[in-house]
Amino acid sequence: MYIKKKCVAMLLAGGQGSRLYALTKNVAKPAVPYGGKYRLIDFPLSNCTNSGIDTVGVLTQYQPLVLNEYIGNGAPWDLDKTNGGVHVLPPYETQAGASWYEGTANAIYQNMRFIDRYDPEYVIVLGGDHIYKMDYSKMVDFHIANDADCTISVIDVPRAEASRFGIMICDENNKVVDFVEKPKEPKSTLASMGIYVFSWNKLRKYLIENENDANAKRERGEKWSKDFGKDIITSMLANNERLFAYEFEGYWKDVGTLDSLWEANMDLLSPSVPLDLYDLSWKIYARNENMPPQYVGKNANIENSMISEGSYVDGTVDFSIVFSDVTIEPGAVVNYSLVMPGSVIKSGAVVEYAIVGEDCVIESGARIGASPENIENRDNWGIAVVGHNVTVSSNKVVEPKQIIGENI
């Protein structure tokens, strides 16, 4: 017997994250490390816990091994509940056959039975690859106060960047009157954050209609999709349902690209960025290994950096984030870079403006990346990336913008 819940969260964590290239070759994007001790999925899971939402479905699909292992029974986020808690929901086979998730809307459609077990009034749909702190209960209260069918969290973005997002056009009461996906000439700067609150009875109806309509189009050889932005939201608008925009004020970062992942980590070293990971009133929880304290050797020179537990640093580190269980030997240099868990930077190696994945070895004399000041043509400069479990041999060079996923 299942206890009725006011709100159930559905966390879309099955994306391939292809724009992170080598970093998501064998790892789902929400499992990518961040901030020294976290993974991306820690943020929506912690937000759920802090918001009082104790029933979460995590929809996995692409390379789920690390993510499934990391989530486990949900204990780090206090989601190991007898009634509710966190549930990993991969695609599955029925008597009618098996099907991968065919879009964000289809992923929820395939798990309607899970939601129905808790008979919720509201369903909140989340992404698994955004960095932010948000009280979802306030968004649900806003949804209720406006008697909304759907509430979409939005953030005000610079007009120059608005064409990268789905843009909401609202009236004076925050009621959505139009939605345009990545417009060339945006009429608004309110960008969708991919966070939705739905009244479940209404969403259920639209999911079924979209599924049937898309399948019929596919049989006729027409274009079809099963997506929240393209299908569910636009259909609800066309039918004059009550859609409202909930404006979020605070730090929010979509880490869909290598540059944005690097920038989001570098933001943690800036005193002006309003993302406080030390705030005890809104903790970001994570599954952490039992590691000894970090060790700083006599040759170490560390400035403006974050050094995580279990790391051994005896080289030079400046404006960088060193994750757990990393070794930086004497004579090694790491500047403006991320060194992910378990990696070793040998003596004489130089890592600049780079991302080094998990369990890598950068041998002596190797050079990863370069400072933009040392590049004649700035168009040729970018963050250098070494994928997970890669060895870069002695004296080898990984140029700026270069991405490697195999040993060299």
Side-chain angles (χ1 to χ4, degrees):
M1 181 176 179
Y2 299 95
I3 295 176
K4 179 179 173 63
K5 301 289 183 178
K6 177 182 177 181
C7 183
V8 168
M10 299 296 280
L11 205 166
L12 299 166
Q16 183 175 349
S18 58
R19 291 180 297 165
L20 292 180
Y21 300 98
L23 295 180
T24 51
K25 180 180 178 181
N26 298 306
V27 176
K29 184 161 65 166
V32 169
Y34 168 80
K37 62 175 289 185
Y38 304 101
R39 293 184 186 267
L40 299 183
I41 199 167
D42 288 328
F43 286 83
L45 287 178
S46 297
N47 287 338
C48 285
T49 294
N50 292 326
S51 302
I53 298 172
D54 65 1
T55 305
V56 183
V58 180
L59 285 65
T60 63
Q61 179 161 279
Y62 173 80
Q63 294 286 5
L65 178 61
V66 173
L67 186 62
N68 293 354
E69 185 178 68
Y70 185 74
I71 294 171
N73 67 352
W77 307 273
D78 194 28
L79 290 171
D80 52 338
K81 306 291 186 183
T82 302
N83 292 293
V86 66
H87 299 258
V88 175
L89 303 171
Y92 57 89
E93 186 173 8
T94 67
Q95 288 184 334
S99 174
W100 292 109
Y101 294 146
E102 298 177 315
T104 52
N106 176 257
I108 305 296
Y109 170 84
Q110 289 198 39
N111 288 285
M112 289 195 305
R113 286 179 59 203
F114 168 78
I115 300 171
D116 283 338
R117 291 195 304 183
Y118 297 100
D119 189 27
E121 300 295 322
Y122 310 102
V123 170
I124 184 164
V125 179
L126 308 168
D129 53 1
H130 300 151
I131 296 167
Y132 65 110
K133 291 183 176 183
M134 183 176 182
D135 189 341
Y136 301 139
S137 66
K138 292 183 178 179
M139 186 174 172
V140 173
D141 290 344
F142 176 89
H143 179 88
I144 295 169
N146 286 284
D147 190 26
D149 298 308
C150 171
T151 298
I152 304 159
S153 185
V154 298
I155 191 166
D156 195 19
V157 298
R159 187 166 290 275
E161 297 181 18
S163 59
R164 295 173 44 220
F165 299 94
I167 296 297
M168 302 289 162
I169 296 92
C170 305
D171 65 14
E172 65 277 6
N173 298 315
N174 286 329
K175 190 172 187 292
V176 179
V177 295
D178 198 9
F179 168 74
V180 185
E181 187 71 39
K182 298 180 180 179
K184 291 183 179 179
E185 297 182 5
K187 297 179 181 178
S188 162
T189 55
L190 293 178
S192 170
M193 297 168 63
I195 301 169
Y196 309 97
V197 173
F198 291 95
S199 297
W200 174 230
N201 59 349
K202 190 72 69 167
L203 174 59
R204 200 178 193 284
K205 168 179 173 289
Y206 276 92
L207 287 173
I208 294 170
E209 288 180 358
N210 173 241
E211 186 73 17
N212 293 336
D213 181 59
N215 290 341
K217 286 180 177 177
R218 176 161 50 188
E219 289 178 5
R220 296 195 299 266
E222 300 174 8
K223 286 186 178 180
W224 58 274
S225 63
K226 300 177 181 181
D227 182 79
F228 273 106
K230 293 178 182 177
D231 301 295
I232 304 298
I233 301 303
T234 52
S235 294
M236 293 182 79
L237 273 174
N239 292 331
N240 295 316
E241 304 286 6
R242 293 180 61 80
L243 277 70
F244 283 81
Y246 176 80
E247 193 161 355
F248 174 73
E249 295 180 0
Y251 182 90
W252 177 77
K253 195 83 167 183
D254 179 351
V255 288
T257 65
L258 292 169
D259 285 345
S260 62
L261 176 64
W262 181 83
E263 290 166 3
N265 278 273
M266 292 295 107
D267 283 346
L268 295 176
L269 304 176
S270 171
S272 62
V273 173
L275 179 65
D276 184 4
L277 296 181
Y278 304 95
D279 180 6
L280 296 180
S281 67
W282 199 274
K283 290 183 180 180
I284 301 300
Y285 302 95
R287 181 179 297 280
N288 295 311
E289 303 294 335
N290 293 319
M291 297 232 175
Q294 57 271 76
Y295 177 81
V296 177
K298 63 181 181 179
N299 300 300
N301 181 11
I302 302 172
E303 296 185 43
N304 311 311
S305 297
M306 183 182 293
I307 310 297
S308 300
E309 62 183 5
S311 289
Y312 174 97
V313 179
D314 207 13
T316 298
V317 180
D318 186 20
F319 218 86
S320 296
I321 293 184
V322 176
F323 288 67
S324 59
D325 197 30
V326 164
T327 298
I328 298 177
E329 294 185 350
V333 176
V334 177
N335 292 328
Y336 290 86
S337 296
L338 318 178
V339 184
M340 291 183 173
S343 288
V344 178
I345 315 297
K346 295 288 188 71
S347 296
V350 177
V351 178
E352 289 190 303
Y353 290 88
I355 300 174
V356 176
E358 296 186 68
D359 300 313
C360 293
V361 178
I362 311 302
E363 297 282 5
S364 300
R367 173 176 284 275
I368 314 298
S371 169
E373 286 78 15
N374 297 329
I375 304 297
E376 289 185 14
N377 185 351
R378 285 292 184 91
D379 291 338
N380 295 331
W381 182 85
I383 300 300
V385 177
V386 178
H388 308 303
N389 300 290
V390 169
T391 296
V392 178
S393 302
S394 296
N395 302 316
K396 291 287 187 179
V397 176
V398 178
E399 300 287 353
K401 260 190 180 178
Q402 189 176 356
I403 302 167
I404 63 167
E406 307 288 344
N407 296 343
I408 61 170

